[in-house]
Amino acid sequence: MNAYAVSAIYRFELARWFRTLVQSLLSPVISTSLYFVVFGAAIGSRMAEIEGVSYGAFIVPGLIMLSVLTESISNASFGIYMPRYSGTIYEVLSAPISAMEIVVGYVGAAATKSIMLGLVILATARLFVPFSIEHPLWMVSFLVLTSLTFSLFGFIIGIWASGWEKLQIVPIMIVTPLAFLGGSFYSISMLPPFWQKVALFNPVVYLISGFRWSFYGVSDVAVGISLGMTLLFMTVCLIVIWWMFKTGYRLKA
């Protein structure tokens, strides 16, 4: 393991993030805070509890996941696309550093940013609604695992994208709608039976369900299934990244 090279990529990506801290951290925190004000305080006070949890507290895990998913993809995709766009990716590929070390550097930095964002939003949520965390270790585990998984997914998008607009297509047109329809603001048990079955094809349902279980001990699907689906998606992402480096897909052309 070329620890120096991994550390150089990791520190460079974190430094870039800190230079744009207002856009990278403050903006999603403010946006999520508005969700807490509107849905948690204004609307939540007029809604009944969901599975014994107040509505304001119920949406906390979903909103954290919503931000973590989008920011993980955005950070990782931009991190690898920028070297491709500027041409400096060839310097990285020609350096004495393996594909695994490149991925660890870029994905590790993107995941770190997302974890920090998730923890900041978690602390911010406490200002708006009271909530508890029944399984804190599982909460951190799901947060880390989700950040890593979707940072890997964002890394794939960053290599696949042939233009700036394509970096936004998947997060805006696919991931964000799936997050909103994946139980961020409701339990899928509230849906009609047919739509409950349809919702199970949404991979984000398993992420949000497992993360919510770590807070309140309630979930739409078994926590083991949530963990298994997350690990499965991570494995698929790793296989795709391995293939991209093996074939040089959009890296050497």
Side-chain angles (χ1 to χ4, degrees):
M1 174 69 72
N2 189 339
Y4 181 81
V6 173
S7 175
I9 295 174
Y10 181 85
R11 288 185 288 107
F12 176 81
E13 287 298 303
L14 283 184
R16 178 178 58 79
W17 186 67
F18 282 114
R19 287 196 300 270
T20 59
L21 202 59
V22 173
Q23 175 185 350
S24 304
L25 182 62
L26 192 58
S27 178
V29 168
I30 292 176
S31 299
T32 307
S33 297
L34 292 176
Y35 281 119
F36 284 125
V37 171
V38 175
F39 291 95
I43 298 177
S45 60
R46 303 183 182 183
M47 295 188 64
E49 293 184 345
I50 301 177
E51 300 185 40
V53 181
S54 68
Y55 184 73
F58 185 83
I59 65 174
V60 169
L63 289 177
I64 294 175
M65 279 288 103
L66 179 61
S67 296
V68 168
L69 295 181
T70 54
E71 289 301 312
S72 294
I73 294 174
S74 176
N75 289 326
S77 61
F78 183 84
I80 189 61
Y81 179 78
M82 192 61 191
R84 291 182 56 232
Y85 177 78
S86 62
T88 56
I89 187 65
Y90 301 112
E91 298 178 7
V92 176
L93 294 174
S94 61
I97 177 173
S98 67
M100 181 188 71
E101 291 161 350
I102 294 174
V103 173
V104 170
Y106 282 107
V107 172
T112 300
K113 301 170 194 176
S114 300
I115 293 168
M116 292 171 62
L117 174 63
L119 294 176
V120 170
I121 293 177
L122 181 66
T124 304
R126 181 73 70 175
L127 302 176
F128 297 95
V129 292
F131 60 87
S132 61
I133 303 177
E134 291 190 8
H135 309 284
L137 291 180
W138 277 107
M139 186 275 292
V140 173
S141 299
F142 269 109
L143 180 61
V144 172
L145 189 59
T146 302
S147 299
L148 285 172
T149 301
F150 277 80
S151 292
L152 289 168
F153 185 50
F155 190 86
I156 293 172
I157 294 173
I159 295 177
W160 163 79
S162 57
W164 292 102
E165 67 283 351
K166 284 192 175 182
L167 288 179
Q168 303 299 323
I169 289 178
V170 175
I172 294 177
M173 301 297 294
I174 299 178
V175 175
T176 299
L178 288 178
F180 275 96
L181 297 173
S184 297
F185 298 99
Y186 58 87
S187 169
I188 64 171
S189 62
M190 301 167 65
L191 299 173
F194 173 77
W195 291 109
Q196 289 184 33
K197 295 179 181 178
V198 171
L200 294 178
F201 289 95
N202 181 352
V204 180
V205 166
Y206 301 94
L207 301 175
I208 295 176
S209 177
F211 196 56
R212 183 171 285 133
W213 172 85
S214 70
F215 278 73
Y216 312 119
V218 298
S219 60
D220 292 316
V221 295
V223 64
I225 297 177
S226 296
L227 183 61
M229 292 296 290
T230 306
L231 292 174
L232 175 62
F233 186 47
M234 175 184 281
T235 302
V236 171
C237 289
L238 288 171
I239 293 173
V240 173
I241 292 174
W242 170 83
W243 174 83
M244 284 179 161
F245 276 95
K246 180 178 175 61
T247 60
Y249 175 78
R250 294 195 174 179
L251 286 170
K252 301 178 180 179

